[in-house]
Amino acid sequence: MPLPDAAEGVREALGAAVHARTRRATLSADLSGGLDSTSVCFLAARDTTELVTTAWEGRDPADDDPLWSAHSAYRLSRVRHGGRHLALPYTDAPTWYTPPAEPDHTDPAGPLVAVREAARLVHQARLVAKFGSRMHLAGVGGDELFALRPMALNSLARGDLRAAARLARRARRLAPWTLPATVRILLGGRSYPRWLAAGADRIVPGARRRPGRADWEELAAMPPWAHPDALATVRRLLREAAAAAPAPLDPLRAQHELAAAAVRAGERVRGIDALTSVHGVAYEAPFLDDAVIEAALAVRLADRVPGGGGKPVLAAAMRGTVPGPVLGRGGRRAHSAELHAGLRRNRRALAALCEDSRLAALGLIRPDVLRPVLTSLQPDTGALRPLDPTLAAEFWLRALPAHPAHDAVPAPAARTSAPAGEGD
């Protein structure tokens, strides 16, 4: 659908998704200052539900999220029927990377994606529960559905290369793409099984994901502290999966990549809900309802590449509902101050995990490589990206009932190189 029709579809689908959750006396929601959470809040305010909004105060003085949040909260107070806005000071809340106080409160289906924020999310749930909320709404999914998606250019180039090239030149002003990366985005065309098989060869310890590649989805990676045996196993499993010639979620690469991103966002929400529901507050993301995802998939490919930043489809859908200044807001600052503060505060507790690591006992990681990352200064936050899934898996294993067979598995001897035949 072209932008006007697509925006109408998104407006109806997202409005219905929020309305389906407002049939209760009190509701709470994130109001971070971004377009995603602000859209959810203003849609919820149209109903008679008492709405309690929350926003975290940042440690970084240059972070303007609190200003945008306060502005939206003021505008919201003029249209909602009741409720209040809660600014959550970081001084009163747990830091990022606080180890779980209740290890049994986790998602039994898998490691918690939002592991770094787990303690803060529990703190937030307990707080809104005191104000009567039994459901908390988040803007998770807005980025996955409506932010710049490079694969839209790749799929558009299949039918109109000139139009895709024009949009790519415009998009390069918004994204850090080199010219070779842009060409790969436009012309990359390996089948899904071939891409999966090639991914096995590209997996090396500590390799960074390169943004802007013409991949079907986010490229798999392994941290520097992965054990060589674990590395070899992941490569083997990927090759076996590729050999079975799996079908993508959609033959069109842009559709597959968007749907895969929505699935990952859903995993994050499911895990957070497992945390907060223990405290009586369900955690839900209206953006991830089927109808909203289908509306995003229906947007014309050329309209998924913004020319001036932001999220043009969502902004068009929310025009007249969300305050005008928020509609044109561009990128937001990374929360590196929270990340470093959390690692400093919890350094000793996190490093202690290396002493009796469940992952190490299973032969998956090398604690001698992980420990320096936890105990030393890391000015490059990109180097810390693999830390979250490692900690998530470690805490998840510790929360599971003891398994005698696992306890009996000896840790493999550390090696300095990959097995023969498993090189780069």
Side-chain angles (χ1 to χ4, degrees), residues 84-381:
R84 65 181 67 198
H85 179 66
L86 305 177
L88 308 180
Y90 64 84
T91 53
D92 297 341
T95 60
W96 283 13
Y97 292 113
T98 297
E102 301 163 315
D104 56 319
H105 293 168
T106 188
D107 184 2
L112 181 66
V113 178
V115 62
R116 67 170 67 170
E117 303 170 76
R120 283 161 62 100
L121 290 164
V122 169
H123 171 81
Q124 180 188 55
R126 288 171 172 167
L127 185 61
V128 298
K130 292 179 180 179
F131 288 92
S133 174
R134 293 298 175 261
M135 178 180 289
H136 188 83
L137 303 186
V140 180
D143 285 341
E144 288 76 5
L145 300 183
F146 300 108
L148 172 62
R149 311 302 301 184
M151 283 304 95
L153 291 171
N154 179 274
S155 296
L156 179 61
R158 307 278 76 77
D160 191 342
L161 180 57
R162 288 186 178 182
R166 286 196 302 270
L167 290 170
R169 285 196 298 269
R170 189 173 66 184
R172 285 187 65 194
R173 297 196 296 265
L174 307 175
W177 299 343
T178 63
L179 181 59
T182 304
V183 172
R184 284 194 296 268
I185 289 172
L186 291 172
L187 303 181
R190 279 187 293 192
S191 68
Y192 184 67
R194 286 183 60 197
W195 169 79
L196 198 60
D201 298 327
R202 293 197 299 266
I203 292 180
V204 294
R208 301 286 185 86
R209 298 180 177 94
R210 288 185 285 181
R213 290 184 62 90
D215 291 331
W216 281 89
E217 57 191 73
E218 189 171 354
L219 183 65
M222 293 288 277
W225 47 85
H227 195 280
D229 285 349
L231 199 66
T233 300
V234 169
R235 288 171 174 164
R236 175 179 57 80
L237 291 172
L238 279 175
R239 289 173 181 142
E240 290 177 356
L249 298 175
D250 189 276
L252 197 62
R253 191 173 298 211
Q255 304 294 73
H256 169 93
E257 193 259 354
L258 189 150
V263 169
R264 289 194 300 271
E267 291 171 352
R268 175 183 177 86
V269 171
R270 184 198 67 223
I272 296 175
D273 179 65
L275 284 177
T276 62
S277 291
V278 173
H279 303 281
V281 180
Y283 189 93
E284 299 201 8
F287 277 103
L288 297 177
D289 277 19
D290 287 352
V292 184
I293 296 174
E294 290 169 359
L297 289 168
V299 177
R300 186 172 57 182
L301 293 172
D303 290 326
R304 300 188 197 180
V305 185
K311 302 168 183 173
V313 177
L314 183 58
M318 292 295 101
R319 188 164 289 113
T321 301
V322 170
V326 181
L327 296 177
R329 189 183 181 193
R332 298 162 61 190
R333 296 182 63 88
H335 295 94
S336 56
E338 279 74 13
L339 185 148
H340 287 299
L343 288 177
R344 284 197 305 270
R345 173 70 63 84
N346 302 293
R347 180 176 295 148
R348 182 173 299 179
L350 295 176
L353 297 174
C354 297
E355 304 301 325
D356 62 342
S357 168
R358 304 294 194 273
L359 292 170
L362 293 171
L364 297 174
I365 68 169
R366 298 173 59 188
D368 57 312
V369 180
L370 174 59
R371 188 179 293 103
V373 176
L374 295 170
T375 57
S376 62
L377 179 65
Q378 299 289 337
D380 180 10
T381 57

